[in-house]
Amino acid sequence: METERLILRPFTIEDAQEVFFGWANDPEVTKYLTWNTHKDIEETKRILSLWIDEYEKPERLNFAIELKKEDKLIGGIDVVGYLGGVQGTPVIGYNLARKYWGNGYMTEACHCVIEYLFSKGYSEIRIDAMSENIASIRVIQKCGGIFLKTDEDYYPLKDKTVLINRYIIKNN
């Protein structure tokens, strides 16, 4: 998929270097994610291999975000799950290399994935963000997110409980 400034495409194992050095090893980027900062590039390669294997499942949507003008991988956006099964509500998650924060890239990528999911017949999409992640909440609001509630969620990989704001985006 393409937007004005971005290409959204499947990840490849060749992306490991850009993923690791771009954001996966950056504790500032991973601070609000469900997964931990990667310790080395081998960890990134293992995870990319898992993601690539999952592409065989039609419901598995996981996109690398590439900046057209720089031909550079800058982040990722995916459907992290479905509420109520695959025919239910898709839940979107995303991350972006810190160098590219504040330029509207994630809002652009998010709009693209939302429109794609609506074109596939989904009537609503959910996006969650830690309550303290103001930048992510702004992205969600710019994409039409309507606040539902705040819940406590346990992140097993981080072994901590966090406050999560839940948002819904409806296909009008």
Side-chain angles (χ1 to χ4, degrees), residues 23-35:
W23 66 87
N25 75 336
D26 185 342
E28 235 358 79
V29 173
T30 61
K31 173 169 49 174
Y32 299 119
L33 302 178
T34 58
W35 46 271

Side-chain angles (χ1 to χ4, degrees), residues 68-79:
K68 282 183 188 177
K69 71 178 179 180
E70 294 181 23
D71 193 29
K72 177 93 175 140
L73 196 60
I74 63 170
I77 185 167
D78 68 326
V79 173

Side-chain angles (χ1 to χ4, degrees), residues 1-9 63-69 74 77 103-116 143:
M1 296 189 295
E2 284 191 42
T3 69
E4 182 181 331
R5 303 179 295 168
L6 307 171
I7 296 171
L8 276 62
R9 61 163 178 81
F63 301 101
I65 302 170
E66 193 174 288
L67 188 58
K68 282 183 188 177
K69 71 178 179 180
I74 63 170
I77 185 167
N103 293 294
Y105 296 128
M106 191 50 71
T107 301
E108 192 172 323
C110 205
H111 272 298
C112 182
V113 171
I114 289 166
E115 289 307 313
Y116 174 79
C143 290

Side-chain angles (χ1 to χ4, degrees), residues 159-170:
D159 191 27
K160 71 177 187 176
T161 300
V162 296
L163 290 176
I164 300 291
N165 286 0
R166 305 204 187 278
Y167 296 84
I168 199 84
I169 300 169
K170 294 188 178 282

Side-chain angles (χ1 to χ4, degrees), residues 39-159:
K39 294 174 187 69
D40 55 46
I41 198 160
E42 292 309 312
E43 182 177 4
T44 302
K45 287 179 183 176
R46 283 191 302 278
I47 290 168
L48 282 174
S49 291
L50 292 171
W51 291 352
I52 292 163
D53 289 346
E54 287 181 344
Y55 284 137
E56 293 181 20
K57 301 174 187 173
E59 71 274 10
R60 184 63 175 128
L61 300 173
N62 189 0
F63 301 101
I65 302 170
E66 193 174 288
L67 188 58
K68 282 183 188 177
K69 71 178 179 180
E70 294 181 23
D71 193 29
K72 177 93 175 140
L73 196 60
I74 63 170
I77 185 167
D78 68 326
V79 173
V80 297
Y82 296 83
L83 302 174
V86 176
Q87 301 306 314
T89 302
V91 181
I92 295 176
Y94 46 76
N95 55 73
L96 188 68
R98 190 179 347 172
K99 175 181 177 184
Y100 298 96
W101 290 358
N103 293 294
Y105 296 128
M106 191 50 71
T107 301
E108 192 172 323
C110 205
H111 272 298
C112 182
V113 171
I114 289 166
E115 289 307 313
Y116 174 79
L117 290 167
F118 286 160
S119 78
K120 294 296 178 191
Y122 292 100
S123 60
E124 60 183 30
I125 294 156
R126 195 164 95 198
I127 306 178
D128 298 339
M130 281 192 202
S131 299
E132 62 202 49
N133 189 347
I134 304 305
S136 186
I137 290 169
R138 277 198 304 264
V139 167
I140 296 166
Q141 290 168 339
K142 288 177 187 175
C143 290
I146 301 162
F147 177 77
L148 293 174
K149 62 182 175 175
T150 300
D151 286 329
E152 280 190 354
D153 243 2
Y154 178 68
Y155 282 14
L157 294 176
K158 295 195 177 203
D159 191 27

